[in-house]
Amino acid sequence: MIIETENQLMTRLSAALLLVITILISSIAIVLAKPVLITIPPSQFNWLQMSVALICLVLMELFYVLSKNSPLLKAKKLLLYAALIGFCNFTVVRWIFLVGLEHLPVTTHAYLVNFVGVVTMFLSIIMVKEKPHLFQVLGAFLSLLGLTLYFSAPIDSSQIFGVAIMTVGIVFLAITNNLIRKCLLEFPDTSVVSLSTYAIVLGGLPIIIWGLIFDLPSLEVDQYSMGVIAANGFFSLALTLIVFNLALKTLLSYEASILASTGVIFTAVFAVILLDEPITLLQISGIIILLAGIMIVQGYTHLLKWLSTEK
């Protein structure tokens, strides 16, 4: 059994905290997007925010390369990783999740997306050879219990197609998480800005080109909606992608993925503040249980260190 040093624990804590803060910020943009999506189709919103994210990441990459005098990604295997990550995350997952949203209620859709953490956990055993501790498995399922309480609406038979296609998307997103972790373990000196940029260029550009060809001629977006789209493109896509990739240099793939479930909590809080949406006692109970599960998944190493000290 491996017990982490104090420095390693602090590094993990810093990575987790940075990811949570980023998710908190992006949750505000996501909540603001809810009323905008009433007037703008999700497919248009998707390629527009992806365009903003791509532009931001390309500019960041150029600044990084010029300021650090750093070479662009050149290793063939590293480019292959970026292509696979981009294809899975931007070409496949984004499209599948949009199709799923057309066949499922928003709450059901959000509930299913949060199964990514558990799927990532089990795929990490195969793809990255990182086995979760029993405490982490229990914490992951406790998180799912909290999510089940939060999204209490049952799934009926008319939603079977939506659930089926979402399952495919969840698997691809879990594969994405493990591909990023595997890439950063194999190429530890890789810039997360470069990896994020190449991934969105290789995987997201086809979606953007499709939008420019078929949507741009009839596109009508007001100034406020464009501002919300830009905020989601920068904070929810570009910044979150960089920070998530950075966290995966330290955290295991499923740890980062389950930690991302805190977005449900922040979204609920900001929806109450900004949109006056109600929150029930059952949802609050779900949030508390979800937090307990996340704390178990993230804090098991502290527990192991304490137990070893006691001995």
Side-chain angles (χ1 to χ4, degrees):
M1 185 180 294
I2 298 173
I3 307 298
E4 294 182 338
T5 66
E6 195 67 37
N7 286 339
Q8 288 174 319
L9 289 174
M10 288 305 298
T11 301
R12 286 169 55 83
L13 180 61
S14 299
L17 185 61
L18 180 61
L19 181 57
V20 169
I21 291 172
T22 305
I23 292 169
L24 185 151
I25 295 170
S26 68
S27 296
I28 300 174
I30 291 170
V31 169
L32 293 175
K34 291 181 71 175
V36 173
L37 283 167
I38 298 174
T39 58
I40 298 176
S43 59
Q44 288 186 1
F45 191 100
N46 182 48
W47 75 262
L48 284 170
Q49 71 166 351
M50 202 177 291
S51 300
V52 173
L54 187 145
I55 292 169
C56 291
L57 284 169
V58 168
L59 291 175
M60 288 181 196
E61 172 66 1
L62 289 174
F63 176 79
Y64 177 81
V65 170
L66 294 175
S67 62
K68 301 290 184 180
N69 194 25
S70 174
L72 297 170
L73 288 182
K74 289 183 179 180
K76 290 182 179 179
K77 192 169 184 180
L78 192 53
L79 282 172
L80 178 60
Y81 270 122
L84 288 172
I85 292 166
F87 173 76
C88 291
N89 192 18
F90 297 105
T91 308
V92 177
V93 173
R94 301 286 169 176
W95 177 78
I96 285 180
F97 280 7
L98 284 172
V99 173
L101 194 58
E102 292 177 358
H103 292 85
L104 293 170
V106 174
T107 51
T108 304
H109 185 276
Y111 169 64
L112 291 173
V113 168
N114 283 282
F115 275 83
V116 169
V118 173
V119 179
T120 300
M121 175 178 285
F122 289 107
L123 283 181
S124 69
I125 300 173
I126 301 169
M127 294 180 64
V128 195
K129 311 300 181 186
E130 292 179 332
K131 296 181 180 180
H133 193 276
L134 178 60
F135 282 115
Q136 292 182 303
V137 176
L138 293 175
F141 280 101
L142 188 61
S143 298
L144 283 183
L145 175 60
L147 288 167
T148 302
L149 288 176
Y150 184 88
F151 299 100
S152 55
I155 297 173
D156 59 50
S157 57
S158 65
Q159 299 170 358
I160 295 299
F161 174 78
V163 172
I165 196 166
M166 283 295 295
T167 302
V168 176
I170 288 164
V171 171
F172 268 92
L173 186 52
I175 290 172
T176 301
N177 294 338
N178 283 299
L179 280 172
I180 296 170
R181 174 67 174 169
K182 190 175 177 66
C183 173
L184 293 173
L185 285 174
E186 194 168 337
F187 300 95
D189 296 328
T190 300
S191 160
V192 293
V193 175
S194 299
L195 183 61
S196 303
T197 303
Y198 276 78
I200 197 170
V201 168
L202 295 171
L205 197 56
I207 304 296
I208 295 171
I209 292 172
W210 181 90
L212 289 171
I213 293 172
F214 294 101
D215 283 344
L216 189 60
S218 58
L219 188 65
E220 293 183 6
V221 183
D222 61 76
Q223 191 173 359
Y224 173 78
S225 297
M226 196 62 231
V228 171
I229 290 170
N232 273 272
F234 179 74
F235 292 109
S236 301
L237 272 184
L239 183 61
T240 301
L241 185 62
I242 290 173
V243 174
F244 188 82
N245 289 351
L246 183 63
L248 283 176
K249 284 195 170 188
T250 305
L251 303 177
L252 304 180
S253 57
Y254 52 84
E255 290 177 334
S257 184
I258 292 173
L259 195 61
S261 298
T262 54
V264 172
I265 302 169
F266 299 136
T267 300
V269 171
F270 288 124
V272 171
I273 297 171
L274 300 175
L275 304 179
D276 293 323
E277 290 190 357
I279 185 168
T280 66
L281 185 60
L282 188 62
Q283 287 176 315
I284 293 173
S285 301
I287 286 173
I288 293 171
I289 295 173
L290 171 62
L291 277 173
I294 290 172
M295 288 176 67
I296 291 173
V297 172
Q298 300 299 326
Y300 85 104
T301 49
H302 296 268
L303 176 61
L304 294 180
K305 185 175 181 180
W306 178 79
L307 288 173
S308 66
T309 303
E310 289 295 308
K311 291 179 181 179

